[in-house]
């Protein structure tokens, strides 16, 4: 299994500001994933972060808006830049443990973001 | 494009009842399937993982089954308790696809 510490757990931010979310894993992992969950919706993958390379972003998400850092194998940050009320969501980091079809995804506790 | 649907979107049952949550997917070429629970405003907790060669998994009062031919997975909860109240999500990896596709979720309320 994996224990993931994510912070902050929640924040209320002003329009136009930026928030950086941190994710710390208790073991080394190759890939870390960042998801967004808009109110009443399921999860949407923002990007996949590999240590030592640039993150891979999904369609509809860009690096300028959601810059990601991955300085080592246990840590990653996601920044939500120039926020607007439409960015109000739960943001979650996750990691996979196991190999092949035994790979299981584990999640942090989430960051509930409200933008005024 | 793979779509994953969970019906019903919301379900309320009295405490003690057994219940089944459904997960349907359009493409049967899935690699594995995982069930999660999510408490309001929180992250996801992994419940069960069914690998590609398996048909079901059990953990305590939970049993998850997978039928690829019909494109369905079910999560069975026995003797439901108020603490089971949460949103339940299914998600799967596809072959050659390194990301999970999530279902729409079922919000479960157990009435004491």
């Amino acid at each position: 299994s994996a224990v993931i510490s994510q912070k902050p757990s929640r924040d209320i931010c002003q329009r136009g500001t930026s928030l950086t979310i941190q994710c710390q894993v208790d073991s080394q992992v190759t890939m870390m994933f960042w998801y967004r969950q808009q109110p009443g919706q399921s999860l949407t993958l923002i990007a996949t972060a590999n240590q030592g390379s640039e993150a891979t972003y999904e369609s509809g998400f860009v690096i300028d808006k959601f810059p990601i850092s991955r300085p080592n194998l246990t840590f990653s940050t996601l920044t939500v830049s120039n926020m607007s009320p439409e960015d109000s969501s739960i943001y979650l980091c996750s990691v996979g443990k196991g190999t092949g079809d035994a790979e299981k995804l584990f999640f942090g506790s989430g960051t509930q973001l409200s933008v005024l | 494009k793979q779509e994953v649907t969970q019906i019903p979107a919301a379900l309320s049952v009295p405490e003690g009842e057994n219940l089944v949550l459904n997960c349907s997917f359009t493409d049967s070429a899935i690699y594995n399937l995982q069930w999660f629970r999510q408490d309001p405003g929180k992250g996801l907790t992994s419940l069960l993982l069914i690998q590609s060669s398996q048909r079901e998994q059990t953990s305590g009062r939970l049993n998850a089954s997978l039928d690829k031919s019909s494109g369905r997975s079910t999560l069975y909860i026995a003797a439901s308790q108020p603490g089971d109240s949460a949103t339940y999500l299914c998600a799967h990896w596809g072959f050659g696809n390194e990301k999970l596709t999530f279902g729409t979720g079922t919000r479960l309320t157990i009435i004491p």
Side-chain angles (χ1 to χ4, degrees), chain A residues 39-98:
Chain A
Q41 304 294 315
S42 192
L43 278 71
T44 301
L45 181 64
I46 298 172
T48 302
N50 289 331
Q51 193 269 335
S53 64
E54 291 219 356
T56 301
Y57 288 83
E58 296 298 306
S59 176
F61 298 97
V62 295
I63 187 171
D64 290 346
K65 176 67 177 177
F66 298 101
I68 288 171
S69 78
R70 184 78 203 276
N72 57 53
L73 290 172
T74 63
F75 187 79
S76 179
T77 67
L78 170 77
T79 298
V80 186
S81 303
N82 188 24
M83 288 183 285
S84 66
E86 292 70 34
D87 295 319
S88 298
S89 296
I90 298 173
Y91 292 85
L92 301 121
C93 65
S94 71
V95 302
K97 297 293 276 187

Side-chain angles (χ1 to χ4, degrees), chain A residues 19-34:
Chain A
L19 175 72
T20 295
I21 302 167
Q22 298 181 2
C23 192
Q24 178 76 51
V25 189
D26 67 340
S27 58
Q28 294 184 341
V29 292
T30 304
M31 291 194 290
M32 295 179 74
F33 305 94
W34 287 97

Side-chain angles (χ1 to χ4, degrees), chain B residues 11 21 41 49 60 79 83 87:
Chain B
L11 179 65
L21 306 180
L49 170 72
T87 296

Side-chain angles (χ1 to χ4, degrees), chain B residues 66-84:
Chain B
L66 175 62
D67 184 347
K68 292 185 189 179
S69 61
S70 65
R72 288 188 60 199
S73 177
T74 60
L75 179 67
Y76 174 83
I77 302 177
S80 58
Q81 303 172 358
D84 295 330

